[in-house]
Coordinates of all heavy atoms in Angstrom, one line a residue:
V23 N 5.9 -7.5 8.7 CA 5.8 -6.2 8.0 C 4.4 -5.6 8.4 O 3.4 -6.3 8.4 CB 5.8 -6.4 6.5 CG1 5.4 -5.1 5.7 CG2 7.2 -6.8 6.0
S24 N 4.4 -4.3 8.8 CA 3.1 -3.7 9.1 C 3.0 -2.4 8.3 O 3.9 -1.6 8.4 CB 3.2 -3.3 10.6 OG 3.3 -4.5 11.4
Y25 N 1.8 -2.2 7.8 CA 1.4 -1.0 7.2 C 0.4 -0.4 8.2 O -0.6 -1.0 8.6 CB 0.7 -1.1 5.9 CG 1.5 -1.5 4.7 CD1 1.7 -2.8 4.4 CD2 2.1 -0.5 3.9 CE1 2.6 -3.1 3.3 CE2 2.8 -0.8 2.8 CZ 3.0 -2.2 2.5 OH 3.8 -2.5 1.4
D26 N 0.6 0.8 8.8 CA -0.2 1.5 9.8 C -0.9 2.7 9.2 O -0.2 3.8 9.3 CB 0.5 1.7 11.0 CG -0.3 2.3 12.1 OD1 -1.5 2.3 12.0 OD2 0.3 2.7 13.2
K27 N -2.0 2.6 8.6 CA -2.8 3.7 7.9 C -1.8 4.5 7.0 O -1.8 5.7 6.9 CB -3.3 4.7 9.0 CG -4.4 4.0 9.8 CD -5.0 5.0 10.9 CE -6.3 4.4 11.5 NZ -6.1 3.0 12.1
A28 N -1.0 3.7 6.3 CA 0.0 4.3 5.4 C -0.7 4.9 4.1 O -1.5 4.2 3.5 CB 1.0 3.2 4.9
T29 N -0.4 6.2 3.8 CA -1.1 6.9 2.8 C 0.0 7.5 1.8 O 1.0 8.1 2.3 CB -2.0 8.0 3.4 OG1 -3.0 7.4 4.2 CG2 -2.7 8.8 2.3
R30 N -0.4 7.5 0.6 CA 0.5 8.1 -0.4 C -0.3 9.0 -1.3 O -1.3 8.4 -2.0 CB 1.3 7.1 -1.2 CG 2.2 7.7 -2.4 CD 3.1 8.7 -2.0 NE 4.0 9.2 -3.1 CZ 4.5 10.4 -3.2 NH1 4.3 11.2 -2.2 NH2 5.3 10.7 -4.2
I31 N -0.1 10.3 -1.4 CA -0.7 11.2 -2.2 C 0.3 11.8 -3.2 O 1.2 12.5 -2.7 CB -1.5 12.3 -1.5 CG1 -2.5 11.7 -0.5 CG2 -2.3 13.2 -2.5 CD1 -3.1 12.7 0.5
Y32 N 0.2 11.6 -4.5 CA 1.1 12.1 -5.5 C 1.0 13.6 -5.6 O -0.2 14.1 -5.5 CB 1.0 11.4 -6.8 CG 1.6 10.0 -6.8 CD1 0.8 8.9 -6.9 CD2 3.0 9.8 -6.7 CE1 1.3 7.7 -6.9 CE2 3.5 8.6 -6.7 CZ 2.6 7.5 -6.8 OH 3.1 6.1 -6.8
P33 N 2.0 14.3 -5.8 CA 1.9 15.8 -6.0 C 1.0 16.1 -7.1 O 1.0 15.5 -8.2 CB 3.4 16.3 -6.3 CG 4.2 15.2 -5.7 CD 3.4 13.9 -5.8
G34 N 0.1 17.2 -6.9 CA -0.9 17.5 -7.9 C -2.1 16.8 -7.9 O -3.0 17.0 -8.8
S35 N -2.3 15.8 -7.0 CA -3.4 15.0 -6.9 C -4.1 15.1 -5.6 O -3.4 15.3 -4.6 CB -3.1 13.5 -7.1 OG -4.3 12.7 -7.0
D36 N -5.4 15.2 -5.6 CA -6.2 15.3 -4.4 C -6.6 14.0 -3.8 O -7.0 13.8 -2.7 CB -7.5 16.1 -4.6 CG -7.2 17.6 -4.9 OD1 -6.1 18.1 -4.5 OD2 -8.0 18.2 -5.7
T37 N -6.5 12.9 -4.7 CA -7.0 11.6 -4.4 C -5.8 10.7 -4.0 O -4.8 10.6 -4.8 CB -7.7 10.8 -5.6 OG1 -8.9 11.7 -6.0 CG2 -8.3 9.5 -5.2
P38 N -5.8 10.1 -2.9 CA -4.6 9.2 -2.5 C -4.5 8.1 -3.4 O -5.5 7.4 -3.8 CB -5.0 8.7 -1.1 CG -6.1 9.7 -0.6 CD -6.8 10.1 -1.8
A39 N -3.2 7.8 -3.8 CA -2.9 6.5 -4.6 C -3.1 5.3 -3.7 O -3.5 4.2 -4.1 CB -1.5 6.6 -5.2
V40 N -2.7 5.5 -2.5 CA -2.9 4.4 -1.4 C -3.5 5.2 -0.2 O -2.9 6.2 0.3 CB -1.6 3.8 -1.0 CG1 -1.9 2.8 0.2 CG2 -1.0 3.1 -2.2
D41 N -4.6 4.8 0.2 CA -5.4 5.4 1.2 C -5.5 4.7 2.6 O -6.3 3.7 2.7 CB -6.8 5.8 0.7 CG -7.6 6.7 1.5 OD1 -7.0 7.3 2.5 OD2 -8.8 7.1 1.1
K42 N -4.8 5.1 3.6 CA -4.9 4.5 4.9 C -4.8 3.0 5.0 O -5.7 2.3 5.5 CB -6.1 5.1 5.7 CG -6.2 6.6 5.9 CD -7.4 7.0 6.6 CE -7.4 8.5 7.0 NZ -7.3 9.3 5.9
L43 N -3.8 2.5 4.4 CA -3.5 1.1 4.2 C -3.2 0.5 5.6 O -2.2 0.8 6.2 CB -2.5 0.7 3.2 CG -2.2 -0.7 3.0 CD1 -3.3 -1.6 2.6 CD2 -1.0 -0.9 2.0
D44 N -4.0 -0.5 6.2 CA -3.7 -1.1 7.3 C -3.5 -2.6 7.0 O -4.5 -3.3 6.5 CB -4.8 -1.0 8.3 CG -4.7 0.2 9.3 OD1 -3.6 0.5 9.7 OD2 -5.8 0.8 9.5
L45 N -2.4 -3.2 7.2 CA -2.1 -4.6 6.8 C -0.9 -5.1 7.6 O 0.1 -4.5 7.7 CB -1.7 -4.6 5.3 CG -1.6 -5.9 4.6 CD1 -2.8 -6.8 4.7 CD2 -1.0 -5.8 3.1
E46 N -1.2 -6.3 8.2 CA -0.2 -7.0 9.0 C 0.3 -8.2 8.2 O -0.6 -9.1 7.9 CB -0.8 -7.4 10.4 CG -1.2 -6.2 11.2 CD 0.0 -5.5 11.9 OE1 1.0 -6.1 12.0 OE2 -0.1 -4.3 12.2
I47 N 1.5 -8.4 8.0 CA 2.1 -9.5 7.3 C 3.0 -10.3 8.3 O 3.9 -9.8 8.8 CB 2.8 -9.1 6.0 CG1 1.9 -8.3 5.1 CG2 3.4 -10.3 5.3 CD1 2.7 -7.5 4.0
A48 N 2.7 -11.6 8.5 CA 3.4 -12.4 9.5 C 4.8 -12.7 9.0 O 5.1 -12.7 7.8 CB 2.6 -13.6 9.7
D49 N 5.6 -13.1 9.9 CA 7.0 -13.6 9.7 C 6.9 -14.8 8.8 O 6.3 -15.8 9.2 CB 7.7 -13.8 11.0 CG 9.1 -14.1 10.9 OD1 9.6 -14.0 9.7 OD2 9.8 -14.5 11.9
G50 N 7.6 -14.7 7.6 CA 7.6 -15.9 6.8 C 6.5 -16.1 5.8 O 6.4 -17.0 5.1
E51 N 5.5 -15.1 5.9 CA 4.3 -15.2 5.1 C 4.5 -14.8 3.6 O 5.4 -13.9 3.4 CB 3.2 -14.4 5.7 CG 1.9 -14.6 5.1 CD 0.7 -13.8 5.7 OE1 1.0 -12.8 6.5 OE2 -0.4 -14.1 5.5
F52 N 3.8 -15.4 2.7 CA 3.8 -15.0 1.3 C 2.5 -14.2 1.1 O 1.4 -14.8 1.0 CB 3.8 -16.2 0.4 CG 4.2 -15.9 -1.0 CD1 5.3 -16.5 -1.6 CD2 3.5 -15.0 -1.8 CE1 5.7 -16.2 -3.0 CE2 3.8 -14.7 -3.1 CZ 4.9 -15.3 -3.7
M53 N 2.6 -12.9 1.1 CA 1.5 -12.0 0.9 C 1.4 -11.5 -0.5 O 2.4 -10.9 -1.0 CB 1.5 -10.9 1.9 CG 0.4 -9.8 1.7 SD -1.2 -10.4 2.0 CE -1.2 -10.4 3.9
V54 N 0.3 -11.6 -1.1 CA 0.1 -11.1 -2.5 C -0.8 -9.9 -2.5 O -1.9 -9.9 -1.9 CB -0.5 -12.2 -3.4 CG1 -0.6 -11.6 -4.8 CG2 0.4 -13.4 -3.5
L55 N -0.4 -8.8 -3.1 CA -1.2 -7.6 -3.3 C -1.7 -7.7 -4.8 O -1.0 -7.8 -5.7 CB -0.5 -6.3 -3.2 CG 0.3 -6.1 -1.8 CD1 1.0 -4.8 -1.8 CD2 -0.6 -6.3 -0.6
V56 N -3.1 -7.7 -4.9 CA -3.7 -7.9 -6.3 C -4.8 -6.9 -6.4 O -5.4 -6.3 -5.5 CB -4.2 -9.3 -6.4 CG1 -5.5 -9.5 -5.5 CG2 -4.6 -9.7 -7.8
G57 N -5.0 -6.5 -7.7 CA -6.0 -5.6 -8.1 C -5.8 -5.1 -9.5 O -4.8 -5.4 -10.1
P58 N -6.8 -4.4 -10.0 CA -6.6 -3.9 -11.4 C -5.6 -2.8 -11.5 O -5.1 -2.3 -10.5 CB -8.0 -3.4 -11.7 CG -8.6 -3.0 -10.4 CD -8.1 -4.0 -9.4
S59 N -5.3 -2.4 -12.7 CA -4.3 -1.3 -12.9 C -4.7 -0.1 -12.2 O -5.9 0.3 -12.3 CB -4.1 -1.1 -14.4 OG -3.5 -2.2 -15.1
G60 N -3.8 0.6 -11.6 CA -4.1 1.8 -10.9 C -4.7 1.7 -9.6 O -5.2 2.7 -8.9
C61 N -4.7 0.5 -8.9 CA -5.4 0.3 -7.7 C -4.5 0.6 -6.5 O -4.9 0.7 -5.3 CB -5.9 -1.2 -7.5 SG -4.5 -2.4 -7.3
G62 N -3.2 0.8 -6.8 CA -2.3 1.2 -5.7 C -1.4 0.0 -5.1 O -0.6 0.3 -4.2
K63 N -1.4 -1.1 -5.8 CA -0.6 -2.2 -5.3 C 0.9 -2.0 -5.4 O 1.6 -2.2 -4.5 CB -1.0 -3.5 -6.0 CG -1.0 -3.5 -7.5 CD -1.7 -4.8 -8.1 CE -1.5 -4.8 -9.6 NZ -2.3 -3.7 -10.2
S64 N 1.3 -1.5 -6.6 CA 2.8 -1.2 -6.8 C 3.2 -0.1 -6.0 O 4.3 -0.1 -5.4 CB 3.0 -1.0 -8.2 OG 3.0 -2.2 -9.1
T65 N 2.4 0.9 -5.8 CA 2.7 2.1 -4.9 C 2.9 1.5 -3.5 O 3.8 2.0 -2.8 CB 1.6 3.1 -5.0 OG1 1.5 3.6 -6.3 CG2 1.9 4.4 -4.1
S66 N 2.0 0.7 -3.0 CA 2.1 0.1 -1.7 C 3.5 -0.6 -1.5 O 4.1 -0.5 -0.4 CB 1.0 -0.9 -1.4 OG -0.2 -0.2 -1.5
L67 N 3.9 -1.3 -2.5 CA 5.1 -2.1 -2.4 C 6.3 -1.1 -2.4 O 7.3 -1.3 -1.7 CB 5.3 -3.0 -3.6 CG 6.4 -4.0 -3.6 CD1 5.9 -5.2 -2.7 CD2 6.7 -4.6 -5.0
R68 N 6.3 0.0 -3.2 CA 7.3 0.9 -3.3 C 7.4 1.8 -2.0 O 8.5 2.2 -1.7 CB 7.1 1.8 -4.5 CG 7.3 1.1 -5.8 CD 6.9 1.9 -7.0 NE 7.7 3.1 -7.2 CZ 8.9 3.1 -7.8 NH1 9.4 2.0 -8.3 NH2 9.6 4.2 -7.9
M69 N 6.3 2.0 -1.3 CA 6.3 2.6 0.0 C 7.1 1.8 1.0 O 7.9 2.3 1.8 CB 4.9 2.9 0.4 CG 4.1 3.9 -0.3 SD 2.3 3.8 -0.1 CE 2.1 4.3 1.6
L70 N 6.9 0.5 0.9 CA 7.6 -0.5 1.8 C 9.1 -0.5 1.4 O 10.0 -0.6 2.4 CB 7.0 -1.9 1.7 CG 7.7 -3.0 2.5 CD1 7.7 -2.7 4.0 CD2 6.9 -4.3 2.3

């Protein structure tokens, strides 16, 4: 799985919910996205 500068800006917002995410996930890897509420982790998953 590859995120290549993936960005999500919600309508009505000037600040990206996910800002230029670059992340390479290997075949068979267990990758965990972690952070406080509102950090963009669930949005990143939903983009995928």
Side-chain angles (χ1 to χ4, degrees):
V23 171
S24 302
Y25 289 88
D26 182 7
K27 293 182 170 53
T29 299
R30 173 58 173 152
I31 305 172
Y32 285 109
S35 175
D36 297 327
T37 306
V40 175
D41 193 2
K42 295 182 174 59
L43 177 60
D44 273 320
L45 186 61
E46 296 286 335
I47 302 168
D49 187 7
E51 185 174 23
F52 196 124
M53 173 65 76
V54 180
L55 307 183
V56 69
S59 296
C61 71
K63 55 189 183 295
S64 288
T65 301
S66 301
L67 193 78
R68 291 170 66 82
M69 290 161 71
L70 177 57

